[in-house]
Amino acid sequence: MKVLVGCEESGKVRDAFLRRGHDAWSNDLIAARNGGPHLQMDVMQALDEQEWDLTILHPDCTSMAVSGNRYYGIGKPDHWQREAQVQWTVTLWEKAKRIAKKGVVLENPASVIFPVLRAQGAVIQYIHPWQHGHLEQKKKTGLALDRLPLLKETNNVYEEMIKLPSKERERIWNMSPGENRKRDRSETFDGIAAALAEQYGSL
């Protein structure tokens, strides 16, 4: 399959598909962290570069995440940024649906984008890292799906995770401020990347 992983500089999801023999490309405005097949350009342009079977999108969540309501909610000074990002993301979603032959996945944390996409026919699913082998609790992730089945859990480690001290199982949630905090908090877990490649790469 020809797979585009839009707005991804880590290469995590791209590499999971590559390992399964697919022609997968990551895309971002900046270079890929570890090299590899990468389209360094706007994701709208990347969608036009090749004929894609599957598209997985990771649009910026800063203004759309519900955790940012105190900054971007209705009545807040930066609410205009949320409105603009939602409109841009809807445009991206609609373009990806027209181009991808088999389906589209759009990933974000708990976000105001999901009710909008649900109203346009997307199937919305929420997953957790502990459903895919990671001892991490507060990292709920939403998936908007077009023409694709729900992602099945692959390795549920909830019982093991819940026994850990909160500072260990909430590592991402409590990540210290730093230059790469946003990048590291948004990086896809290996287990989730593998699940996407295994389940959607076999369609």
Side-chain angles (χ1 to χ4, degrees):
M1 290 173 61
K2 298 276 292 186
V3 182
L4 174 67
V5 186
C7 312
E8 180 193 58
E9 58 82 29
S10 70
K12 283 289 186 73
V13 177
R14 177 205 64 198
D15 290 349
F17 277 90
L18 286 172
R19 285 191 290 270
R20 298 188 67 84
H22 299 287
D23 183 7
W25 293 72
S26 57
N27 149 258
D28 203 12
L29 292 173
I30 62 176
R33 197 182 313 175
N34 62 348
H38 185 73
L39 297 172
Q40 187 175 346
M41 59 183 66
D42 184 272
V43 65
M44 298 289 190
Q45 181 183 352
L47 283 167
D48 293 327
E49 284 292 303
Q50 302 182 40
E51 294 186 359
W52 305 106
D53 294 307
L54 178 68
T55 300
I56 300 173
L57 304 169
H58 303 275
D60 188 274
C61 65
T62 303
S63 61
M64 296 194 298
V66 295
S67 60
N69 283 350
R70 58 180 171 170
Y71 304 111
Y72 302 102
I74 295 175
K76 302 300 182 181
D78 291 329
H79 181 63
W80 67 272
Q81 294 185 37
R82 172 172 285 180
E83 290 184 317
Q85 182 65 16
V86 166
Q87 186 55 57
W88 180 88
T89 304
V90 169
T91 301
L92 174 65
W93 170 257
E94 292 298 331
K95 181 170 184 174
K97 286 199 304 180
R98 291 193 301 270
I99 289 174
K101 297 176 182 178
K102 295 196 174 187
V104 181
V105 182
L106 186 145
E107 177 273 338
N108 243 218
S111 168
V112 297
I113 194 61
F114 292 121
V116 177
L117 296 183
R118 180 185 283 116
Q120 298 191 356
V123 174
I124 308 300
Q125 175 186 14
Y126 290 97
I127 62 174
H128 300 270
W130 50 261
Q131 293 176 305
H132 300 279
H134 295 276
L135 302 174
E136 190 69 47
Q137 186 170 17
K138 290 187 177 181
K139 192 64 170 65
K140 178 181 177 182
T141 299
L143 302 177
L145 305 171
D146 170 61
R147 290 168 286 156
L148 297 172
L150 297 179
L151 192 71
K152 299 176 182 177
E153 68 176 24
T154 54
N155 180 19
N156 191 317
V157 294
Y158 182 83
E159 294 300 327
E160 181 181 354
M161 178 205 66
I162 206 65
K163 296 175 183 177
L164 295 175
S166 60
K167 67 178 182 179
E168 293 184 29
R169 67 174 187 263
E170 298 173 6
R171 177 183 58 86
I172 299 296
W173 178 263
N174 294 318
M175 188 176 291
S176 300
E179 180 182 355
N180 295 322
R181 184 175 189 265
K182 178 181 177 180
R183 183 198 75 178
D184 294 342
R185 289 190 73 194
S186 64
E187 185 175 305
T188 303
F189 286 88
D190 289 334
I192 294 177
L196 291 168
E198 179 181 356
Q199 296 178 42
Y200 297 149
S202 62
L203 296 176

